[in-house]
Amino acid sequence: MSSLAPFIRLMKPHLGWVLLGSFLGLLTLFASIGLLTLSGWFIAATALAGVSVATAQAFNYMTPGGGVRGFAIARTAGRYFERITTHEATFRLLADLRSWFYGHLEPLNPARLHHYRSADLLNRIITDINSLDNLYLRVLSPSLIAAVTTLLVSGFLWWVAPSLGVLILVALLSAGILIPMLGHRLGATLGQSQVAKASALRQASLSYVQGMSELHLYQALDTQQALLEQRQQSLLDTQLRMSLITGLVTGLMALAAGLTTLLALIIGVSLVTEGSLAPAWLALVVFCVLASFEAVAPLPMAFQYLGKTRAAAANLLEITEQRSDIVFPAQPVQPTAPGEIRLQEVSFAYDSTSVLQQLSLHIKPGEKIALTGHTGSGKSSVINLLTRFWLYQQGQIYLGGVPVEAYPEAQLRQQLSVLSQPVQLFAGSVRDNLRLGNPDATDVEMMQLLEQLELVDMLGSEGLEREVGEGGNRLSGGQRKRLGVARALLKPAPVLILDEPTEGLDMDTAQQVLDTLLNYRPGQTVLMITHHRQGLERFDQCIQLDRGRRID
């Protein structure tokens, strides 16, 4: 249960909703037990009262009849408000869990996350968190309600007859503990397997959808569909086995309820024969015993799926218990030379693969620099080190005359505007994507920049409200690239870093993009990473890398 402890502690801000839901659930259960118990007594007492005219006339039909109606109304209303309250509590908890999880995920640097697929992280933040509703809705609250109900019903039947109180106490404890334990033992491994198989199926499905064009081109749809069917069948087999376990524990619970009711009937008949129990109370006892099993009936299935819940919790804790290798200070710094970049004997390796070897370079404020080299020469790693996505092992990097490690994270992000490769656009309008770079940018500024990048025709009649689609899928590759360039240019940062801004563009369009990025902010430092040679004469310096070393 240690894996569930952090999630139980997260209930504290919503403890009022949780306790209110449990209280309403307890009242609803009492109304249900009371309804069946009183109805049994009422029917039996009415039948006995009808034996003679005198007893029939003396019998009070109104009070128990009103009690039956009251219990029925209370059960219906209680169930309604209990469902509203418990689901409200659960939705609030799940919303907080997602914020909590993302709050732990966001600070992790790529060095911690590059082993995880995006589909895997998406599955954790959606499906695994949703799986935790079993903990709140079906384990904690029902267990508390079952414990209270067991004590109260046992006390009531003890008052009727001590032997009946002992019987129901032993029966409810046995059924409420042993059968859920059996369900948990049988379902723990299968539940963990179900989480893993469901995750694998969702990842394969996402890859299938995202790569459908390539699968069509290479005639690999059948192979991928066969993989999906295989994983789906494996998940269905696991679900079937879980369903069989559910049937088993449900049947055992029904058997326990039936045997306990039979024993209560035997004891009750004996008490009636002895004169210790009124005949009508025999029906009350039998129906009370039968109804009381409603308190423990949900527990076997809840604990059967507790293994699944624990597996989901472990998946979340695998991420949240990690800590970033990179620590940002809280105290802001004052750059002495805004826009200056200096690398002194910097060495860097991804795990054991050396990428940069004693690299030194100096970029003065306002200079326009092209960083060239073949694929894998270390160009993009320079961006990752400047943005502190990764830690270098040797040397020192200065930004604005200050060690890059001295910047608080927010201040560091203000110093740099970065166009990454590939360009990431977000579902929404052109305006929405541009304002990520500068929330204060006016429509006029955005339109002027788009005109310089020859993107105005793309807008059509919708203007800046033009939807770009998920990941920019409503735009061409060149349009996505130039829109990313526009977003980077709008950010008023001292340093502009662009990773392959002209990749995939024709020569004329590439020249237009170069004109814009070199002249849009004349005093801005520009570091452009490219492996093309065209237009490099327009830069102040051209620095070439090879195997992590400077060779120019």
Side-chain angles (χ1 to χ4, degrees):
M1 294 292 288
S2 60
S3 61
L4 298 177
F7 304 98
I8 296 176
R9 289 194 293 269
L10 287 171
M11 292 173 55
K12 187 176 181 180
H14 307 289
L15 189 59
W17 283 99
V18 173
L19 292 178
L20 178 59
S22 298
F23 177 72
L24 290 173
L26 187 62
L27 287 182
T28 303
L29 182 59
F30 283 164
S32 181
I33 294 174
L35 175 62
L36 194 58
T37 301
L38 182 58
S39 297
W41 175 88
F42 188 31
I43 293 171
T46 302
L48 293 174
V51 172
S52 67
V53 175
T55 56
Q57 291 177 343
F59 186 74
N60 179 9
Y61 296 92
M62 301 302 296
T63 301
V68 169
R69 287 192 293 271
F71 279 131
I73 294 172
R75 184 181 67 168
T76 303
R79 181 67 67 196
Y80 174 77
F81 288 108
E82 180 261 338
R83 290 293 173 89
I84 288 179
T85 305
T86 54
H87 282 78
E88 177 69 19
T90 300
F91 291 148
R92 286 172 178 261
L93 287 165
L94 295 183
D96 279 359
L97 277 175
R98 287 195 174 89
S99 299
W100 169 80
F101 180 78
Y102 187 79
H104 284 79
L105 175 68
E106 192 272 336
L108 297 181
N109 51 306
R112 291 288 187 182
L113 296 177
H114 75 286
H115 298 296
Y116 298 97
R117 297 178 60 184
S118 57
D120 179 27
L121 295 175
L122 181 64
N123 184 73
R124 294 179 194 231
I125 201 170
I126 296 178
T127 307
D128 287 339
I129 287 179
N130 283 344
S131 297
L132 291 174
D133 69 354
N134 182 66
L135 176 64
Y136 302 120
L137 278 179
R138 300 180 180 89
V139 176
L140 296 179
S141 181
S143 297
L144 176 62
I145 292 172
V148 174
T149 302
T150 297
L151 293 176
L152 294 179
V153 171
S154 299
F156 170 70
L157 290 180
W158 174 275
W159 173 75
V160 174
S163 56
L164 292 172
V166 172
L167 171 65
I168 194 62
L169 178 64
V170 172
L172 289 180
L173 287 177
S174 300
I177 296 175
L178 297 180
I179 298 178
M181 286 179 60
L182 175 63
H184 177 62
R185 178 176 291 273
L186 295 176
T189 303
L190 285 176
Q192 296 172 5
S193 176
Q194 189 174 0
V195 170
K197 290 178 179 179
S199 176
L201 177 60
R202 290 187 181 93
Q203 292 181 45
S205 300
L206 186 59
S207 298
Y208 176 79
V209 173
Q210 291 178 334
M212 191 170 292
S213 298
E214 285 74 12
L215 293 173
H216 269 293
L217 291 172
Y218 292 101
Q219 297 181 322
L221 278 174
D222 292 341
T223 302
Q224 188 68 15
Q225 286 175 349
L227 174 63
L228 286 176
E229 291 172 0
Q230 178 185 355
R231 292 187 175 179
Q232 178 175 275
Q233 188 59 49
S234 177
L235 177 60
L236 290 175
D237 291 342
T238 303
Q239 291 174 334
L240 175 60
R241 294 173 65 186
M242 289 291 278
S243 297
L244 292 175
I245 295 173
T246 300
L248 172 63
V249 295
T250 301
L252 289 175
M253 184 61 73
L255 178 62
L259 290 176
T260 305
T261 303
L262 178 60
L263 290 175
L265 179 61
I266 294 172
I267 294 174
V269 169
S270 175
L271 293 172
V272 170
T273 303
E274 296 172 359
S276 301
L277 187 69
W281 279 66
L282 178 61
L284 180 148
V285 168
V286 170
F287 281 105
C288 181
V289 169
L290 187 62
S292 64
F293 271 83
E294 186 180 339
V296 295
L299 298 184
M301 185 182 297
F303 281 85
Q304 175 193 340
Y305 283 89
L306 189 59
K308 178 181 177 181
T309 304
R310 293 176 63 183
N315 284 344
L316 297 174
L317 292 176
E318 181 183 342
I319 301 295
T320 60
E321 290 181 348
Q322 295 189 47
R323 295 295 178 266
S324 176
D325 299 326
I326 299 171
V327 178
F328 290 92
Q331 189 66 30
V333 297
Q334 182 61 48
T336 58
E340 182 185 54
I341 300 173
R342 184 189 297 271
L343 277 69
Q344 292 183 347
E345 303 291 327
V346 173
S347 296
F348 170 66
Y350 291 106
D351 296 327
S352 59
T353 304
S354 179
V355 179
L356 298 178
Q357 303 179 48
Q358 297 181 326
L359 176 64
S360 296
L361 59 88
H362 181 211
I363 302 174
K364 298 176 182 179
E367 279 194 315
K368 318 299 181 185
I369 306 299
L371 190 62
T372 67
H374 60 79
T375 301
S377 60
K379 305 184 300 298
S380 297
S381 297
V382 174
I383 298 180
N384 290 331
L385 298 182
L386 282 170
T387 54
R388 296 204 70 197
F389 285 162
W390 293 79
L391 290 175
Y392 51 91
Q393 286 78 40
Q394 293 180 0
Q396 184 65 61
I397 297 179
Y398 295 89
L399 179 64
V402 178
V404 71
E405 296 85 4
Y407 284 93
E409 184 174 12
Q411 189 179 14
L412 177 63
R413 304 295 173 237
Q414 293 169 358
Q415 302 300 307
L416 303 170
S417 180
V418 180
L419 173 71
S420 58
Q421 173 73 8
V423 175
Q424 177 62 55
L425 298 181
F426 298 90
S429 67
V430 170
R431 180 188 287 107
D432 294 335
N433 278 273
L434 291 178
R435 281 189 171 165
L436 289 174
N438 184 0
D440 299 324
T442 65
D443 286 359
V444 173
E445 290 176 311
M446 288 186 275
M447 289 298 295
Q448 289 175 346
L449 181 55
L450 293 177
E451 186 174 358
Q452 294 180 48
L453 293 170
E454 299 182 350
L455 283 173
V456 174
D457 291 342
M458 171 200 73
L459 302 178
S461 60
E462 299 174 273
L464 294 173
E465 290 299 318
R466 164 74 187 277
E467 292 288 325
V468 303
E470 183 178 357
N473 59 12
R474 296 187 182 181
L475 308 179
S476 68
Q479 289 171 339
R480 287 197 296 270
K481 177 72 72 173
R482 283 178 286 163
L483 188 57
V485 170
R487 183 173 61 193
L489 288 171
L490 280 173
K491 183 177 180 180
V495 176
L496 174 64
I497 302 176
L498 306 111
D499 193 352
E500 303 286 1
T502 60
E503 181 70 22
L505 303 180
D506 61 75
M507 187 173 295
D508 292 339
T509 305
Q511 288 299 320
Q512 183 65 35
V513 170
L514 282 179
D515 288 340
T516 304
L517 65 88
L518 291 175
N519 298 305
Y520 188 73
R521 297 185 188 274
Q524 186 178 48
T525 301
V526 176
L527 176 60
M528 188 183 82
I529 293 173
T530 183
H531 63 269
H532 296 297
R533 306 299 300 179
Q534 296 87 353
L536 296 185
E537 68 281 355
R538 304 177 62 181
F539 289 82
D540 297 318
Q541 289 188 63
C542 180
I543 302 173
Q544 187 172 2
L545 299 184
D546 182 43
R547 298 180 181 179
R549 294 181 181 274
R550 182 171 177 172
I551 60 173
D552 59 315

